[in-house]
Amino acid sequence: MSRRGFAVACRAAGLAAAVALMLAFSPASASATGTPCDPGSWSVSGDTPCAAADPGNYVAGSGATAQTPCVAGTYNESTGASASSACLVDDPGFFSGAGAVVATACYPGSYATLSDSASCTPAAPGYFVAAAQAAAETPCPAGSYSAGGTTAIMCTTSPAGYAAPAMTGTPTPCTAGSYAPLGSAACSPDAPGTYSDATAAVATSCPVGSYAPASGSSTCTLADPGFYVDDQHATGEVACPPGYYSANAGASLCVAADLGSYVAGSTATAEAPCAPGSYAAARGAAACTPAAAGSYVWAAGASTQTPCPAGSYSATTAATACTPAPVGSYAPSGVAAAIPCPSGTGTTESGQASCPAVAGPTPASIAVEQVLKLARGQILLVLSASSSGVFRASAHTPKAKGSRATAGSDYGTVTVSGSGAAAAITIKPSRAATALLARSPSLRVSVVVTFTPAGGATAVSKTVAVTLHGSPKKD
């Protein structure tokens, strides 16, 4: 027999057997020979031979032609169940479909709160279910989050720069001016002296030259010109003190005024040069020093004073120039006044550093050329000196007997005429001297002559005694 013939024969034999089986279970055959199936069993015809109800099913009455599956949320592990009460209700944390033989535990990430659950509920956002057979979901603690779903078996720690309150499905990014370390429940505002960008894990200290006066700063403020910030984490700027300045914003220190310059007050943005007549010898000067007497400063911005050169002087402070020594005097370097030339020396021009010797005898001397006794007690002295200069004179009388006048009383009025090489001194007696001369046979008059040479030389004196004869009246 060929293969094809064999296959056809097999199909025919199978068909015959199927027909024989159908005839055996037909109603006509059962009614003729079978008994109705008991509760808990069934057959297609409803009578013997009967089959026991499968696990997950039950057959409530007799003569059943089909079995009834347990409803979803219940299960039956035994065979031959004859009532729906044989279907057991699922415990919380389990589920089952219709016709279930056993209850199935909810997988991690899902839960069943109630009994008779036909399915498990996925974890909601902000919750998780760590283990199987869970009857409830667990909220994510603060600082963590969960997107929910059947994969939510644990919560994820909130990343740095984000915040997650309890039961959060998605972390919230921190805005600029706030920050959050890993696992934070909330974003913290930056402390004064710090700043941060968005999603920052930590606040950053303001760098030198800047500051943040309040909390929650997203940027730091640069120090204004005239101010500085020399430390990190600053909450304010500091004014530059006198003697210092800052020209630009963001200074970390102030600049000391340069030599020859000064800064008078605080918060300065520039230095100023010292005015002529003053100077600044050190950096950081808050004021300029006036030039001392004997020195000068001729230009602005000086760092030193200059001594007056020989032949000149400055009598006041803050001088911008020196004065030449006048004729008859001299000035070494750095003096506050001209010095008169010593006796026997002199100058013929101003601005001299020394006094050269001058012609003529040294020291100066006075010669009495002539003494004339004029009428009524007047005296005339004709004098000469060794050099040019000025004469002065005074005349005195002795104390008279019986007089209360002291010795050396003025004789009278002295008049000096002429100067230089010669002079004439005229002495006119006073009324008292005239009366005294009228009562005395003689009167001695002492004349003191003083000569001061030109050029500041030492003065010389000479005393001349003159005896006058009186005309006493007879009683």
Side-chain angles (χ1 to χ4, degrees):
M1 182 181 292
S2 65
R3 289 183 177 178
R4 184 173 182 181
F6 179 77
V8 170
C10 288
R11 290 193 188 100
L15 182 59
V19 170
L21 182 61
M22 291 177 63
L23 291 175
F25 283 94
S26 65
S29 175
S31 61
T33 62
T35 302
C37 292
D38 295 328
S41 63
W42 71 285
S43 68
V44 173
S45 61
D47 53 19
T48 56
C50 299
D54 295 326
N57 296 271
Y58 67 93
V59 177
S62 59
T65 59
Q67 56 185 349
T68 304
C70 292
V71 296
T74 64
Y75 66 96
N76 177 16
E77 296 178 331
S78 62
T79 61
S82 61
S84 61
S85 59
C87 298
L88 303 177
V89 177
D90 301 336
D91 292 330
F94 290 82
F95 76 99
S96 61
V101 176
V102 295
T104 303
C106 290
Y107 297 109
S110 64
Y111 67 98
T113 303
L114 303 175
S115 58
D116 71 12
S117 294
S119 62
C120 296
T121 303
Y127 292 81
F128 73 103
V129 179
Q133 303 180 15
E137 59 186 350
T138 303
C140 288
S144 65
Y145 69 98
S146 168
T150 57
T151 60
I153 61 175
M154 62 183 299
C155 296
T156 303
T157 301
S158 180
Y162 290 77
M167 298 176 288
T168 296
T170 303
T172 302
C174 294
T175 59
S178 63
Y179 68 97
L182 183 70
S184 295
C187 298
S188 300
D190 300 334
T194 65
Y195 76 102
S196 64
D197 297 326
T199 67
V202 294
T204 303
S205 294
C206 290
V208 293
S210 65
Y211 65 98
S215 60
S217 296
S218 60
T219 59
C220 296
T221 303
L222 293 177
D224 293 319
F227 293 79
Y228 74 102
V229 177
D230 64 350
D231 197 7
Q232 295 181 336
H233 209 88
T235 59
E237 58 187 355
V238 182
C240 290
Y244 294 81
Y245 70 97
S246 65
N248 301 313
S252 60
L253 52 83
C254 298
V255 180
D258 205 353
L259 298 177
S261 297
Y262 73 103
V263 176
S266 59
T267 70
T269 59
E271 61 184 353
C274 291
S278 64
Y279 67 99
R283 297 181 183 276
C288 297
T289 304
S295 297
Y296 73 104
V297 178
W298 71 274
S303 60
T304 59
Q305 61 182 350
T306 304
C308 287
S312 64
Y313 68 96
S314 64
T316 62
T317 60
T320 58
C322 297
T323 303
V327 175
S329 64
Y330 72 102
S333 176
V335 296
I339 302 171
C341 288
S343 177
T345 64
T347 59
T348 58
E349 295 181 356
S350 61
Q352 300 302 305
S354 62
C355 295
V358 295
T362 303
S365 60
I366 304 172
V368 180
E369 299 292 338
Q370 190 176 14
V371 179
L372 300 176
K373 302 170 186 178
L374 304 178
R376 297 183 182 178
Q378 291 192 66
I379 306 169
L380 175 63
L381 281 70
V382 179
L383 309 172
S384 65
S386 61
S387 63
S388 62
V390 178
F391 288 97
R392 290 188 299 276
S394 62
H396 304 277
T397 60
K399 180 178 180 182
K401 292 181 180 181
S403 173
R404 294 183 179 180
T406 59
S409 297
D410 290 341
Y411 177 76
T413 302
V414 180
T415 302
V416 181
S417 62
S419 64
I425 298 175
T426 303
I427 305 169
K428 182 178 180 181
S430 63
R431 289 184 179 181
T434 302
L436 184 59
L437 184 60
R439 295 193 302 268
S440 304
S442 63
L443 183 64
R444 190 173 179 83
V445 178
S446 178
V447 181
V448 180
V449 180
T450 301
F451 175 71
T452 302
T458 302
V460 296
S461 298
K462 187 177 184 64
T463 301
V464 179
V466 180
T467 300
L468 300 175
H469 298 283
S471 303
K473 297 182 179 180
K474 295 180 180 181
D475 296 335

